[in-house]
Amino acid sequence: MKQAIQAIESNGALRSALRRAVRCGDAVGHRAVDSFGAELQRQLRPRRLPDDVADAGMILLAQSKVDRTSPAVAEVPPPGELARHLGEPLGGGPDEPRRRLSALRFQRLLRASDSDDRLQLLRRAMALLPAKVHPLSVLEAWLDLHDEGGRRRFARAYFNSSTGDAPATSDDVSA
C-alpha cells in the first residue's frame, strides 16, 4: 500500500485521473494500479477478488478525504475505523440518533449490487467525513463490503460508534 500511496502522491496526473474515475474500470491501464492489484492479490492469497476490487481500492486511496501524508499513516488503525466515523451520532434522540451517514444511505451501501455502485456510494459517504481517514481504514472498509462477513463487521462498527463499544473482532463474526 505504501507504493500505491507514493505513486498517487508523486504522480499528479494519476491522482487526478483516479479522483475523476466514475467506474472501477476507469483505473485500468495505469502501471501503479496494476502493481497495486497484483500486490493486493498476493496479500489476500486465499481470498480471490475480482480485478475491479483492486482498481476501485486505488481510486478510493486517491480521494481527498484519505490521509496519505501524516506520520500517523505508519500506524495501523483500529478495525472498523471508517464505519465508526460514518456512524457517529450527530444528534437526534437516544433511540434513533441522526448519524453522519444516514441509515438509508448506509443500507444502500451494504446492498449495492456491484463494485461500481459500491464505489460511488462509498465515495459519497467519505465526502461526509469532517477529517481525513487512514488509508488502511478505507481499504479495509472496501474489502469488507465485498462479502457477507465483512458487511456484518462493517455494520457492527457503524452501529457501535454511538455506544462507544469496542470494535468488532473476527471472533464476533463467527459467533
Side-chain angles (χ1 to χ4, degrees), residues 6 19 55 59 65-66 89 95 111 136 148 156 159:
Q6 289 171 347
R19 283 187 180 169
D55 297 341
I59 290 169
K65 289 293 183 165
V66 177
D95 294 338
R111 294 181 180 150
L136 279 175
E148 190 60 37
R156 195 171 286 123
F159 287 110

Side-chain angles (χ1 to χ4, degrees), residues 33-73:
V33 175
D34 295 339
S35 299
F36 177 71
E39 183 61 23
L40 188 61
Q41 283 295 3
R42 191 180 73 70
Q43 294 291 328
L44 301 172
R45 187 161 289 142
R47 186 175 171 189
R48 179 74 181 131
L49 297 171
D51 291 336
D52 64 351
V53 171
D55 297 341
M58 191 76 165
I59 290 169
L60 290 168
L61 290 177
Q63 300 308 302
S64 61
K65 289 293 183 165
V66 177
D67 185 5
R68 293 179 302 275
T69 57
S70 85
V73 171

Side-chain angles (χ1 to χ4, degrees), residues 8-47:
I8 291 168
E9 284 303 307
S10 65
N11 186 341
L14 172 65
R15 183 175 53 250
S16 203
L18 292 174
R19 283 187 180 169
R20 285 191 316 268
V22 177
R23 297 182 331 260
C24 299
D26 293 343
V28 173
H30 296 282
R31 184 180 305 157
V33 175
D34 295 339
S35 299
F36 177 71
E39 183 61 23
L40 188 61
Q41 283 295 3
R42 191 180 73 70
Q43 294 291 328
L44 301 172
R45 187 161 289 142
R47 186 175 171 189

Side-chain angles (χ1 to χ4, degrees), residues 111-158:
R111 294 181 180 150
S113 60
D114 62 15
S115 289
D116 288 336
D117 289 340
R118 212 171 282 124
L119 172 65
Q120 182 180 26
L121 292 168
L122 188 56
R123 284 174 65 177
R124 287 179 180 170
M126 288 171 51
L128 299 172
L129 298 172
K132 293 185 177 197
V133 293
H134 196 286
L136 279 175
S137 297
V138 174
L139 194 57
E140 173 197 35
W142 178 244
L143 293 174
D144 276 352
L145 291 170
H146 283 83
D147 66 52
E148 190 60 37
R151 284 189 290 272
R152 275 190 296 240
R153 281 190 302 274
F154 191 86
R156 195 171 286 123
Y158 173 86

